[in-house]
Amino acid sequence: MEKDKKYNLEGVTLKKFFQEELETMETAKIKAVQEEKFLKQFKFVYGNNAYYRKLCDKKGVGLDDVKCMADIAKLPFLTKADLREAYPDGLLCKPLADCVRIQSTSGTTGKRVVAYYTQHDVDLWEECCARAIVAAGGTKEDVVQVAYGYGLFTGGAGLHGGSHKLGSLTLPMSSGNTERQIQFMQDLGSTILCCTPSYAAYIGEKLHEMGFTPDDIKLKAGIFGAEPWTEEMRQNIQNSLGIKAYDIYGLTEISGPGVAFECEEQTGMHINEDHFYAETIDPETGEVLPEGSEGELVFTSLDKEAFPLLRYRTRDLTVLTREKCSCGRTFVKMKKPKGRSDDMLIIRGVNVFPSQIETVLLKQGYTPNYQIIVDRIGNEDTFDINVELSEEQFRKIGDDVDIANKNLTAAFVQMLGIRPRVHLLAPKSVVRSEGKAVRVIDKRKLHD
Ligand code: DLL
């Protein structure tokens, strides 16, 4: 690869794995490890948390009912509503004096979720992030620019900790101040960028706007997550920054980024199964689904201390697959989540995911700068999509704006089955994101 010429790998032993013996365990071994840890974790949570014990009592499950991994099906689910009810520390399993960190979700409605960590929990989490950095080609020689937000959000802290564990040179930029991000990237020779995919797209856009090309930076890889993003978006970022873009998944409730991460195959994320047991369920009935069918992800932490959640419903929709991966990792893979079940819009009775809109736009050569606005007038849903044109499109489109609009509308109708009103806007009219992008404005909620 071009980049390797600039990036001096001479004398550097590229590690394929951060913890090879764990990441490449045979499936039977993984299952045995999970069962052993699960039985211990259940006893620990049941014995140390009154809120959880009460939930189990309500379901009629006691200590004696859980003797093997399959017995997990007997346990109650935990939901966001439980976390709100138990706020702030009703699900804590260790004395506060043993905790060393609190992180929190970015939730805008209701009470935030706060997660507690002991030093053991922080180490476990950071190791998961180090695995992700190594899977993206990271070594101790790398300069890792962390442009996720720092603070209560887990993005900055998680990747920062992972980079330290690996021994890479860590650049704690946090998000924002995009020109300075690019200047530091050049001056300090950053080789790996960590931020949300929408922010990566913006950094790419800015790089070109400042008159640079990927040849003017040393970046070789990016580790992007915290929000849904499409394969088309991956291509867009890879081209504009001249890198390989890897997905990373996680949630505050389970620890933060690094619950799952992508390897060189870029075909889904390996779940760190030695720490987290994954199930997919039918979101309506709660029935456990076989691997290979799409459902809501449910996680059970297997060896956490302060805030170990058992059967936590994430509301994220994905598919689990255990197909052999060419990278050598044996951990089950989750496909790119389509979004949360509650991100799905129901417009005029039709299910619409923002990711479908992103796919259409990027396939048709538009920018990833868009916003979906849904409202209700009388009994009718209105559905508008604001699409920003690139400078070049804006210059070229001239009188053909109606034709372009018609073609794009037709592509949406084909993908979604309903007709949006499309608005092609001048460059720079859609607000850029430095963290998690706000793609949808659903004004119907205001009327309810
Ligand atoms: O977003 C943790 C994180 C930080 C993950 C940095 C990756 C990188 P929360 O703020 O608690 O934590 O939000 C968790 O974000 O349930 C998903 O809905 C969504 N999400 C996270 N990663 C991805 C991803 C962090 N790679 C919620 N693809 C999750 C799609 C993602 N959605």
Side-chain angles (χ1 to χ4, degrees), residues 267-337:
T267 53
M269 293 174 272
H270 290 285
I271 294 175
N272 280 310
E273 284 192 287
D274 52 337
H275 299 303
F276 313 110
Y277 180 81
E279 302 170 89
T280 39
I281 61 164
D282 179 325
E284 301 295 326
T285 62
E287 181 204 347
V288 177
L289 300 173
E291 275 169 15
S293 37
E294 184 180 275
E296 177 182 340
L297 252 182
V298 173
F299 279 112
T300 295
S301 52
L302 294 171
D303 47 8
K304 276 174 62 185
E305 292 182 341
F307 194 66
L309 300 185
L310 309 183
R311 298 201 99 194
Y312 180 66
R313 290 186 61 159
T314 63
R315 295 182 289 180
D316 292 321
L317 299 174
T318 190
V319 178
L320 298 177
T321 60
R322 218 172 261 285
E323 277 160 33
K324 202 169 162 29
C325 186
S326 59
C327 77
R329 287 177 185 78
T330 44
F331 291 159
V332 72
K333 271 186 184 170
M334 59 182 271
K335 289 224 169 107
K336 258 183 174 309

Side-chain angles (χ1 to χ4, degrees), residues 105-106 148 153-155 159 224-229 247-253 256-257 269 314 316 337 340 436:
T105 57
S106 45
Y148 284 111
F153 177 51
T154 54
L159 271 307
F224 307 131
E227 62 185 3
W229 53 308
D247 203 351
I248 183 167
Y249 168 90
L251 60 166
T252 315
E253 296 90 319
M269 293 174 272
T314 63
D316 292 321
R340 290 196 165 201
K436 296 190 190 228

Side-chain angles (χ1 to χ4, degrees), residues 364-367 388-398:
Q364 302 278 323
Y366 287 90
T367 70
E388 188 183 296
L389 296 168
S390 66
E391 298 280 354
E392 197 190 346
Q393 282 169 327
F394 192 63
R395 247 184 289 114
K396 281 192 185 154
I397 213 160

Side-chain angles (χ1 to χ4, degrees), residues 372-387:
I372 304 158
I373 299 145
V374 190
D375 202 351
R376 184 171 293 139
I377 295 177
N379 285 324
E380 177 96 31
D381 288 335
T382 61
F383 176 24
D384 291 81
I385 307 177
N386 289 337
V387 179

